[in-house]
Amino acid sequence: MARIIVVTSGKGGVGKTTTSAAIAMGLAKKGHKTAVIDFDVGLRNLDLILGCERRVVYDFVNVINNEATLNQALIKDKRCNQLYILPASQTRDKDALTKEGVGKVLEELSKTFKYVVCDSPAGIERGANLAMYFADDAFVVTNPEVSSVRDSDRMLGILSSKSKRAELGEEPIKEYLLLSRYDPKRVKLGAMLSVEDVQDILSLHLLGVIPESQSVLSASNAGEPIILDENSDAGQAYSDIVDRYLGEDKPHRFIDEEKKGLFGRLFRS
Amino acid sequence: MSTDSQPISASSPAFEFKSGVITIPVLNLFSTDINVITHQLLEKIKQAPEFFTNSSLLLDLSAIQDQELNLALLVDAIRNSGMRPIGVRGGTAYQHQDAKDLMLPVMAAQNSTNNAKQEAPVKLEAEVSKQESPDPVASTTTISTIINQPIRSGQRIYAKGDLIVIAQVSAGAEVIAEGNIHIYGTLRGRALAGVQGDESAQIFCSDLQAELVSVAGTYRISEDLDESNRNKPVQIYLNNQALIIKNI
């Protein structure tokens, strides 16, 4: 049985797809057979972040509608043979997703995969609801600002009341906090919520802090999941997150400002 | 789709009649001296202008039905104070005629000449007995709801009796109880106790950062919270219709 992970947030633009790609790649690199599904039907992006946009033939909706088999639609990553991508359909909308269809696909994936990562769309509508419905674990991606924190809180409410586990009265979804785009310098200036502030509001287990980083944008544009960039702090943060998720005890990093020389301070805005 | 098959004429209905129940303030009059009434009313309004301004008002004349009252002047005075009389109840046929002349509806009087202070408990007892009749064993205990998880933004909890939350209540969440509310965590959302009119209901929380707190309909919003209560453990209750927030 696969473990189904949903990467969600409520708010858009906080780094769900970046996180999904990084986490899926990280798990696969550790030798676990992992599938990552793009639930953002109509606004397909995951294939770009993973650099497989030119190899999309069939998609998630095709599989749901029995127009293609799962094996035809899954794209095997060229960098890691344990990672498979199920892209979203760009020409359809979220209504093309059905609970039965999604359930069927996840069940089939569960037979052969160790982890299935569901990249949720923003919002709390159909796409997001179906992405989280079958989940075992939830990675709640939050930016250190009030609207993102409140939307995450709303999403946590939905996770605990509208998921399959909640409906069947099973053990609730395990919820983890991923604080992304964190900038200790701005926290120090009081312009950004601190890790403590966010944890105080959400009271959630912190899986990791991902620092704001220029390398995320260039990695996205290049179609390379950021976790493969071992020199970037964001990439290292995701590696830590995967390790912690798999049970390793790693101290948190990137929470405090790193010491910089005079030039560093002058030239970094 | 189902409306397609119904034999409706070209225009769809412009309205429908429905019965609704709302709670409105009742002004029990004990005096016919309009100057005195106006003076005291303005004093009251000063205490909570946002609550009283434009608030609808039912005038209860039961206590002064044997006295002479210039209803037209009284209604004018009340309107000038910012409140909106919408009807009368109690009183004599003569007073009712005055009301009709002023286009104010006359409502059925509350049984005999009871004033509001006796009314509330009577109503409550009626409800309590209604609830308890199917289960006579539980006649002396009220049902408490206990919640162990955080109540997240957008979630809403309603408890028939007391509500006990052993976690936080997030901003944008609502906890509502007919009885007391206890929150052993931070209250950032809304808490409404005694929503069926129990004025003895109270709210307790270990860290007050609420958006709104209310007891039996008397409420206070975050902006009006005293800074000395904010981020503190507090007890919230009604004292003579006034909402008291006390640090504990």
Side-chain angles (χ1 to χ4, degrees), chain B residues 24-43:
Chain B
I24 55 165
V26 177
L27 191 67
N28 288 305
L29 290 165
F30 306 131
S31 163
T32 55
D33 186 330
I34 289 165
N35 284 332
V36 173
I37 296 170
T38 314
H39 178 72
Q40 293 184 3
L41 192 61
L42 286 173
E43 285 293 307

Side-chain angles (χ1 to χ4, degrees), chain A residues 36-127:
Chain A
V36 55
I37 307 177
D38 191 350
F39 273 78
D40 207 348
V41 177
L43 293 165
R44 186 175 88 197
N45 280 151
L46 182 68
D47 53 328
L48 289 171
I49 308 293
L50 281 162
C52 64
E53 74 277 10
R54 293 199 264 178
R55 296 198 285 142
V56 176
V57 184
Y58 295 109
D59 57 50
F60 192 16
V61 174
N62 291 137
V63 179
I64 286 177
N65 293 344
N66 292 319
E67 292 153 359
T69 66
L70 197 50
N71 283 331
Q72 286 175 306
L74 282 172
I75 303 170
K76 188 175 183 176
D77 190 84
K78 285 186 172 169
R79 293 151 296 205
C80 178
N81 61 8
Q82 296 290 318
L83 180 64
Y84 292 78
I85 300 119
L86 184 55
S89 172
Q90 184 71 347
T91 54
R92 310 291 287 272
D93 60 33
K94 266 70 170 182
D95 293 334
L97 298 175
T98 60
K99 197 179 270 183
E100 298 71 35
V102 173
K104 195 189 68 185
V105 171
L106 287 175
E107 197 180 322
E108 206 175 328
L109 286 172
S110 288
K111 287 177 196 157
T112 47
F113 286 86
K114 182 84 187 291
Y115 292 102
V116 179
V117 178
C118 302
D119 179 23
S120 171
I124 52 171
E125 284 79 35
R126 193 182 184 84

Side-chain angles (χ1 to χ4, degrees), chain B residues 17-23:
Chain B
F17 278 113
K18 274 198 160 178
S19 71
V21 179
I22 54 160
T23 307

Side-chain angles (χ1 to χ4, degrees), chain B residues 70-148:
Chain B
N70 189 332
L71 193 63
L73 270 181
L74 176 67
V75 167
D76 254 357
I78 293 172
R79 286 205 174 117
N80 285 335
S81 75
M83 297 191 73
R84 306 275 171 257
I86 57 150
V88 300
R89 74 175 181 198
T92 58
Y94 182 69
Q95 286 166 339
H96 290 172
Q97 188 54 49
D98 278 354
K100 281 176 196 154
D101 291 346
L102 291 164
M103 311 253 278
L104 285 176
V106 177
M107 322 256 175
Q110 200 68 20
N111 39 3
S112 77
T113 57
N114 281 351
N115 64 29
K117 274 178 196 148
Q118 285 153 350
E119 238 166 70
V122 170
K123 236 199 297 182
L124 259 174
E125 273 160 27
E127 274 160 22
V128 168
S129 58
K130 235 187 288 166
Q131 281 171 12
E132 287 172 354
S133 51
D135 185 10
V137 183
S139 58
T140 51
T141 54
T142 43
I143 314 132
S144 299
T145 308
I146 302 181
I147 307 236
N148 295 304

